[in-house]
Amino acid sequence: MPFSFCVTISIPFSFLIPICYTYLNVTKWDLLRRLEVTEEQEPKVEELYSLDLDSLDSLRPVYGLVFLFKWRPEEKDERVVITDPNPNLFFARQVINNACASQAILSILLNCPDMDIGPELSKLKEFTKNFPPELKGYLPVDGVLYELDGLKEGPISLGQCTGGHGDMDWLLMVQPVIQERIERHSNSEIRFNLLAIVKNRKEMYTAELKELQKGRERILQQLAAFQAERLVDNGNYESLNKSMSEVNAAIESATEKILMEEEKFKKWRTENIRRKHNYIPFLFNFLKILAEKKQLKPLIEKAKRKTSASK
């Protein structure tokens, strides 16, 4: 039997995808833990419903955007594909059906120097370092924004791109490219999905909370010093009280964001478990019980009549 990869669905909790900008398809949300990627380092996936700059800016730093659309084998792309490999890049060209998920994850993990990718992927990266292009493929990095497509011979350069993942430069460059692709097929195709691969939001909010708590302690110490010297009528004392109120509000906001992230991923994990659960035995026995109680056939006939009436 030919070797193949598992198909995954294009929703955030099923994803975790590539660096820079890619037209790759889907990836598995929980594959990273199996590959021993540090949980705190895991990038997260957010679904984008708009390409406006405010939406993009609110997600920074963005490691990459994944634009999902129906692949058309007859569609021609005359843009130049890069065939001169960069030794710093890793990009596995797709040669097997349904391999998009695994390749997309590898693209980000093996090309993000700030991420702890664990021992297994570190070995893979070192092992394939000197592979020829036809075996390893290409991946854009080093100040250039690329479009990655595993079905092409190599990446396509979208131009020089200054700054890093936390900057808006590359997002400003990629925005019109994706918008043009959507508009080109909007009359005949509405199945588009845009996902942003972003830094772990819980990690960001936790770091923010720690800094706010440190700031709160400093203000408390200053307030205590004013009280000890009986300078409570001083203008600086009032200013510190105002700062304390602002910091407390920010701490409350950061804490709420952390709780929301925890609840979101708890929900995603539950949904992921349900999607992988085998419901066939339950359905089989349910239908069997309906048949034994002579309720199955009437339900089928009712469904047929309803279907006929709706045509």
Side-chain angles (χ1 to χ4, degrees):
M1 184 176 72
F3 181 73
S4 184
F5 279 72
C6 173
V7 180
T8 54
I9 50 179
S10 57
I11 49 180
F13 68 79
S14 295
F15 282 76
L16 224 157
I17 328 183
I19 192 170
C20 262
Y21 160 56
T22 126
Y23 279 159
L24 298 178
N25 285 327
V26 293
T27 60
K28 299 175 184 177
W29 176 70
D30 57 356
L31 180 59
L32 290 177
R33 290 196 180 94
R34 299 183 186 185
L35 292 173
E36 300 180 19
V37 177
T38 307
E39 182 172 0
E40 290 75 16
Q41 290 285 333
E42 286 182 19
K44 304 302 179 187
V45 178
E46 297 287 345
E47 191 163 13
L48 276 169
Y49 299 100
S50 171
L51 276 170
D52 66 90
L53 297 181
D54 288 339
S55 298
L56 295 172
D57 186 45
S58 67
L59 293 173
R60 291 192 296 154
V62 181
Y63 296 119
L65 294 178
V66 178
F67 180 45
L68 309 169
F69 61 96
K70 185 178 180 180
W71 180 66
R72 300 170 182 270
E74 72 280 0
E75 185 175 317
K76 302 298 181 183
D77 191 343
E78 303 299 331
R79 293 176 297 173
V80 177
V81 171
I82 295 174
T83 57
D84 184 22
N86 183 330
N88 295 328
L89 310 179
F90 181 99
F91 171 59
R93 186 179 167 217
Q94 183 173 342
V95 294
I96 300 174
N97 290 337
N98 301 326
C100 302
S102 301
Q103 291 188 207
I105 289 181
L106 289 176
S107 294
I108 186 172
L109 297 182
L110 299 181
N111 290 279
C112 191
D114 299 330
M115 193 179 301
D116 181 3
I117 60 176
E120 293 299 324
L121 287 183
S122 296
K123 291 177 184 176
L124 175 64
K125 185 175 183 179
E126 181 64 24
F127 178 70
T128 60
K129 182 171 61 177
N130 297 316
F131 276 22
E134 63 270 18
L135 292 181
K136 188 169 79 170
Y138 315 92
L139 181 71
V141 78
D142 294 342
V144 179
L145 178 61
Y146 293 87
E147 175 183 323
L148 306 182
D149 188 339
L151 299 178
K152 288 185 170 62
E153 296 291 331
I156 295 173
S157 172
L158 299 179
Q160 295 292 322
C161 181
T162 59
H165 299 131
D167 299 308
M168 282 293 291
D169 294 4
W170 79 270
L171 294 172
L172 290 170
M173 288 179 62
V174 79
Q175 182 197 38
V177 178
I178 298 178
Q179 190 64 52
E180 187 276 331
R181 176 62 69 95
I182 293 174
E183 292 173 356
R184 191 192 314 169
H185 300 293
S186 59
N187 292 331
S188 59
E189 181 59 59
I190 61 172
R191 288 171 291 180
F192 297 109
N193 195 209
L194 182 62
L195 301 173
I197 292 75
V198 300
K199 188 173 181 179
N200 187 319
R201 313 315 277 179
K202 180 182 175 182
E203 179 188 351
M204 289 177 58
Y205 299 144
T206 301
E208 177 186 343
L209 179 60
K210 289 180 179 178
E211 289 301 314
L212 288 168
Q213 289 171 336
K214 290 179 182 178
R216 184 175 183 274
E217 287 301 316
R218 287 193 293 268
I219 294 174
L220 284 173
Q221 291 174 5
Q222 291 176 299
L223 287 172
F226 273 105
Q227 290 173 341
E229 297 175 9
R230 302 182 183 278
L231 298 175
V232 292
D233 294 329
N234 189 293
N236 289 332
Y237 185 83
E238 294 300 321
S239 177
L240 285 172
N241 271 326
K242 182 180 179 181
S243 296
M244 176 63 78
S245 297
E246 293 173 351
V247 168
N248 283 335
I251 287 175
E252 184 178 347
S253 175
T255 302
E256 184 177 350
K257 289 177 182 178
I258 292 171
L259 292 174
M260 288 175 63
E261 286 296 305
E262 291 175 345
E263 185 61 29
K264 178 173 67 177
F265 279 93
K266 181 181 178 181
K267 179 181 176 182
W268 283 3
R269 289 187 184 98
T270 301
E271 291 182 16
N272 214 23
I273 291 170
R274 288 173 178 168
R275 287 179 182 275
K276 293 187 289 185
H277 182 72
N278 181 13
Y279 288 96
I280 292 177
F282 162 75
L283 294 172
F284 177 81
N285 284 288
F286 180 64
L287 293 173
K288 183 179 177 181
I289 292 171
L290 287 175
E292 290 172 351
K293 294 185 176 183
K294 302 188 184 301
Q295 296 178 7
L296 181 59
K297 189 173 181 179
L299 288 172
I300 294 174
E301 294 301 324
K302 182 180 178 180
K304 287 180 178 179
R305 289 193 299 270
K306 187 176 180 180
T307 303
S308 300
S310 63
K311 290 183 179 179

